[in-house]
Amino acid sequence: MPVVSREKKRVLRSEAWFNDTTDPGATAIYLERYLNFGLTHKELGTGRPIIGIAQSGSDLSPCNRHHIDLAVRVKEGIRDNGGVPLEFPLHPIQETGKRPTAALDRNLAYLSMVEILQGYPIDGVVLMTGCDKTTPSQLMAASTVGIPSIVLSGGPMLDGHYQGACVGSGTINWIAREKYAAGEIGVSDFIALAASSAPSIGHCNTMGTALSMNCIAEALGMSLPGCASIPAAYRERPQMAYATGYRIVDMICEDLTPSMILTDEAFKNAIRLATAIGASSNCVPHLIAIARHAGVALSESDWDRHGANIPLLVNCQPVGKYLGEAFHKAGGVPAVIMELISGGLMNPSCLTVTGQSHSENLNKISNIYVNRDVISTLSRPVKENAGFIKLKGNLFESAIMKVSAIDDEFRKRYLSNAEDPDAFTGRAVVFEGPEDYHKRINDPDLQVDEHSILVIRGCGPLGYPGSAEVVNMLPPDRLIKAGIRNLPCIGDGRQSGTSGAPSILHASPEAAAGGGLAKLRTGDTIRVDLKLRTVNAKVDVSTWAARESVYFIPEDQTPWQEIYRGLVEQLSDGGTVRGATKYRDTKRSVPRHSH
C-alpha cells in the first residue's frame, strides 16, 4: 500500500475541533480547556494527528492493570513520530471479577467507546486489549467509527509452576475442582494450586479467551506482527508498545482504516488461525460480533465451513501441554501463520496494520525460531480436523462444539461405536442454572451415570443475563472418584476458554428466548451425531409440540441489565446490540458543535 507523503497536507478530523478557521469562537472553547494541563496551541491547533489511547487497565482489571505503564511507551512512540497522544479510560472488564458475568460489559464498553471515538477530537486510536472482552469490544467500536486503529495487547502472564509441574491459569482451577471432588486435595491446596498459575502481570497464560482473541486480532491484521504472544513481563512488551504508538501516526497519514483490513478474507484467516492454535470457544461469538460491525457476514456455519478441517498445530493448555510463554518462544502467531500459508490454508495477501500483507510481513522477519514441540507442522499436527462445528436439532437452531477439546478418553467412551461412529445417546439431566447444578449434582435421586448428558439452561444472554461461563459442569463426586472426569454437557451459556471440556455450547435460541432446551425434561433421551451435525431429544413429535416451555429468568438488578436484555441478540449472532451493526464509518459525519 503506498504511503501518503507527509508533505501532502491532509485535513485531520481533530481540526474540526482545534483548527476551525470558519468558527474561531467554537475553536477557542475546545482549545482552551485542553491547554489547562500543559498542552500548547502549537501541538493541538496546527494539524498534528491526535491519537487516542484506549486505556483498559485499572485496579478492577488486574489482567490489564499494567497497561497504565505500557501507555507511557505508547505515548513516547506517538510523540517521536509527530503525533499528540490523549489517553482515556475505558469501562473495566475483568472476567474473574465481575458478577453476574463480564459478558454484560462487552456491549456496554462497546457503546461507550463508540461515543468517545465519535464525539471527541481523535484522528486515530491505539486499542489496548487484554482480558477477554476488551479485545472484541474495542474492535467492534473501531469498526463502527472507522478511524485508523491498531491493537496493542498486554500479553500473557509468565508460565505458572507448582511443585515442578507446569500450571496454567484457569485450566488448573478445573483440574483442582476434580481433585477436590475426588478428595485428593483440601481447601488450602486448592487455593495454592490456583494462585500458582498467576506468577506475574498479564492475562491468562493458557490459550484461553484472552490470548486466543489477541492472536485472532493479529491474524485479522490489526496488530503488528508478533504482538499477541509477548509475555506482559518481557522487555519486548513495552518495546512493542512504543512501536505501536509510532505506527499509528503513519496509519493516519496513510488513511489506513479498519474497513481496509477487516475484510471477508481476513475473517476467514482468523477462523483458520483460531483452529490451529486451539482457541477458546468464546472466540466464536466475539468474532461474529466484530465481523457484523465491520459489515462482513459471518456465522457459526462459517466456522464449520472454513475451520473444521484445519489441524491443531499449537500444543498449549487447555487442550495441550504448554503455556503462553513457551508459545511465544516457539514463534508465536507469525510461526503459525507461516505454517498455514505454506500449506495453502491461509490467504497471504490480506492487508495488515503495517500497510503490507501477511506474506510481506513474514518476509521481513528473518529470525523466527519454531519449537516443533510447541508449534507443530501441518504434516505432523497435534490433531487433525480440530476446528469448531455447528450443531442443530430440536433443542436449538445453532450451537457449537470445540472438536480439539475431545480427548482420547471422551472419544473412546462416547464416539467409538463401530456401528454408530461419532455419535452417542444419553439420558438428559436438566439444571435450571448453576445454582441448581451445584445444589443437586450429588443428589443420588438424579441417577447420574456415565451415560448421562448434563444440560444447563437459563444461562444465555437473556436468561442469566449476559451469558455466563457455567456450562463446564463436573460429574457427581462419586463418578469423579471412580475415574470419570467428564460427562457430555449441553448449555445455552458459555464455557471458560481455559476449560478443556468438549461441551456443546451457545445453544441458540436460548431457553429464555423460546429455544428447545426449555422443553427438555430430565429423563429424556438425547442423541448427538457429530457426523450429521445434529443434536435431538428423542421425544415423540406431538408430545414435544404439546410441552410447555420451562425456564427461569432472575429479576434485573441494575438499569443496564434491563437495557441489555431489551436489546441483546443471541450468541449465534454474536450477542450484539440490536440495531447497532447498521452504524459503520460514523466518522464521516462530524458531530454538531456543543456550544
Side-chain angles (χ1 to χ4, degrees):
M1 178 177 182
V3 176
V4 178
S5 171
R6 292 201 179 184
E7 298 300 317
K8 183 179 179 180
K9 172 70 174 174
R10 295 188 71 252
V11 177
L12 299 173
R13 187 171 181 272
S14 60
E15 293 186 73
W17 280 259
F18 295 141
N19 193 28
D20 184 356
T21 58
T22 66
D23 194 342
T27 294
I29 288 175
Y30 299 126
L31 195 61
E32 58 92 4
R33 202 50 55 93
Y34 283 91
L35 304 183
N36 79 351
F37 61 97
L39 291 174
T40 65
H41 183 194
K42 182 178 180 180
E43 291 170 288
L44 298 178
T46 56
R48 294 176 64 179
I50 309 298
I51 313 297
I53 301 174
Q55 172 58 268
S56 60
S58 72
D59 288 350
L60 286 177
S61 303
C63 290
N64 294 17
R65 191 180 185 280
H66 62 294
H67 290 184
I68 298 168
D69 298 321
L70 285 179
V72 175
R73 291 296 284 149
V74 176
K75 290 178 180 179
E76 290 168 349
I78 291 169
R79 284 281 182 188
D80 283 356
N81 204 16
V84 179
L86 292 179
E87 182 182 347
F88 59 88
L90 295 179
H91 182 86
I93 308 180
Q94 178 64 35
E95 182 62 56
T96 58
K98 175 64 189 288
R99 293 184 178 186
T101 169
L104 272 172
D105 293 33
R106 190 201 69 179
N107 289 351
L108 183 59
Y110 154 74
L111 291 168
S112 172
M113 189 170 175
V114 167
E115 292 304 310
I116 292 170
L117 298 182
Q118 176 71 11
Y120 283 89
I122 298 173
D123 299 308
V125 63
V126 175
L127 310 173
M128 299 190 71
T129 68
C131 182
D132 289 20
K133 294 146 200 71
T134 57
T135 306
S137 64
Q138 293 183 54
L139 283 170
M140 289 156 61
S143 297
T144 297
V145 180
I147 61 175
S149 309
I150 187 170
V151 169
L152 173 68
S153 53
M157 296 181 287
L158 299 177
D159 289 0
H161 296 89
Y162 185 78
Q163 296 180 350
C166 192
V167 175
S169 52
T171 301
I172 191 60
N173 286 21
W174 318 123
I175 296 172
R177 284 186 182 184
E178 294 173 6
K179 290 180 176 295
Y180 182 72
E184 297 173 10
I185 60 173
V187 173
S188 60
D189 288 331
F190 195 128
I191 301 299
L193 265 173
S196 69
S197 70
S200 75
I201 58 173
H203 60 63
C204 282
N205 50 27
T206 46
M207 192 60 74
T209 311
L211 183 53
S212 297
M213 281 307 305
N214 288 306
C215 289
I216 283 174
E218 188 173 328
L220 283 169
M222 290 299 295
S223 292
L224 293 178
C227 177
S229 64
I230 302 170
Y234 277 24
R235 67 183 182 187
E236 289 84 0
R237 181 51 69 185
Q239 290 170 350
M240 179 59 75
Y242 177 88
T244 300
Y246 197 95
R247 175 58 193 155
I248 186 62
V249 179
D250 287 334
M251 289 177 65
I252 292 169
C253 296
E254 298 162 16
D255 198 26
L256 180 52
T257 60
S259 63
M260 302 168 71
I261 298 171
L262 297 175
T263 62
D264 178 71
E265 282 299 307
F267 283 100
K268 291 176 183 175
N269 276 348
I271 289 173
R272 293 160 184 149
L273 184 283
T275 298
I277 65 174
S280 160
S281 56
N282 292 310
C283 295
V284 177
H286 287 329
L287 194 66
I288 290 172
I290 296 167
R292 294 187 68 203
H293 284 288
V296 174
L298 195 74
S299 69
E300 290 175 343
S301 295
D302 289 306
W303 280 82
D304 198 330
R305 186 178 302 114
H306 301 293
N309 295 324
I310 300 293
L312 176 66
L313 300 180
V314 176
N315 186 12
C316 270
Q317 296 182 27
V319 296
K321 176 180 178 182
Y322 297 98
L323 295 172
E325 192 175 1
F327 173 57
H328 175 68
K329 290 180 178 179
V333 173
V336 180
I337 290 177
M338 183 170 60
E339 188 67 22
L340 291 172
I341 288 176
S342 72
L345 298 178
M346 190 167 174
N347 189 328
S349 63
C350 288
L351 186 64
T352 74
V353 291
T354 65
Q356 297 185 308
S357 67
H358 282 298
S359 61
E360 290 171 318
N361 291 340
L362 289 174
N363 287 337
K364 292 183 177 181
I365 303 175
S366 59
N367 60 341
I368 296 182
Y369 163 74
V370 183
N371 182 339
R372 292 305 181 188
D373 288 336
V374 184
I375 301 175
S376 62
T377 62
L378 289 169
S379 60
R380 299 184 66 182
V382 179
K383 288 183 181 180
E384 298 279 5
N385 304 323
F388 293 88
I389 59 175
K390 176 188 173 180
L391 303 166
K392 63 181 180 179
N394 62 4
L395 292 177
F396 40 75
E397 295 174 8
S398 181
I400 62 155
M401 187 177 192
K402 181 178 175 179
V403 176
S404 63
I406 299 175
D407 61 19
D408 293 340
E409 179 186 352
F410 189 93
R411 182 169 295 281
K412 181 178 180 181
R413 182 179 296 129
Y414 299 108
L415 301 170
S416 298
N417 184 344
E419 298 179 0
D420 193 16
D422 293 326
F424 62 93
T425 60
R427 174 180 173 273
V429 181
V430 183
F431 299 99
E432 310 296 340
E435 296 85 0
D436 185 37
Y437 159 75
H438 288 296
K439 180 180 179 181
R440 294 197 299 131
I441 184 59
N442 286 309
D443 185 345
D445 291 340
L446 288 179
Q447 300 178 30
V448 179
D449 60 23
E450 62 182 289
H451 303 294
S452 299
I453 298 177
L454 305 183
V455 180
I456 191 168
R457 62 191 177 197
C459 303
L462 291 173
Y464 206 72
S467 74
E469 296 183 343
V470 295
V471 182
N472 43 316
M473 299 174 285
L474 291 178
D477 293 355
R478 57 183 172 78
L479 291 185
I480 293 175
K481 291 175 182 177
I484 299 173
R485 301 284 174 125
N486 278 309
L487 291 177
C489 298
I490 300 174
D492 53 11
R494 299 179 300 116
Q495 177 173 287
S496 171
T498 66
S499 171
S503 304
I504 295 170
L505 306 162
H506 310 169
S508 303
E510 63 183 292
L517 283 185
K519 292 189 174 186
L520 192 68
R521 302 291 186 267
T522 292
D524 288 344
T525 297
I526 297 175
R527 175 175 168 80
V528 177
D529 191 323
L530 301 188
K531 298 191 306 299
L532 298 178
R533 305 292 203 258
T534 57
V535 180
N536 286 292
K538 307 302 289 182
V539 179
D540 177 79
V541 174
S542 59
T543 301
W544 187 256
R547 272 191 185 174
E548 181 182 357
S549 294
V550 176
Y551 54 88
F552 168 73
I553 299 182
E555 291 184 3
D556 296 315
Q557 296 173 309
T558 66
W560 171 240
Q561 289 185 16
E562 181 177 350
I563 294 168
Y564 175 92
R565 276 191 168 120
L567 294 173
V568 71
E569 296 179 304
Q570 290 293 290
L571 288 175
S572 58
D573 294 319
T576 51
V577 176
R578 186 176 299 110
T581 55
K582 69 183 179 184
Y583 293 92
R584 200 165 301 119
D585 286 333
T586 61
K587 70 175 189 304
R588 291 175 297 184
S589 177
V590 177
R592 299 169 70 181
H593 282 303
S594 59
H595 290 78

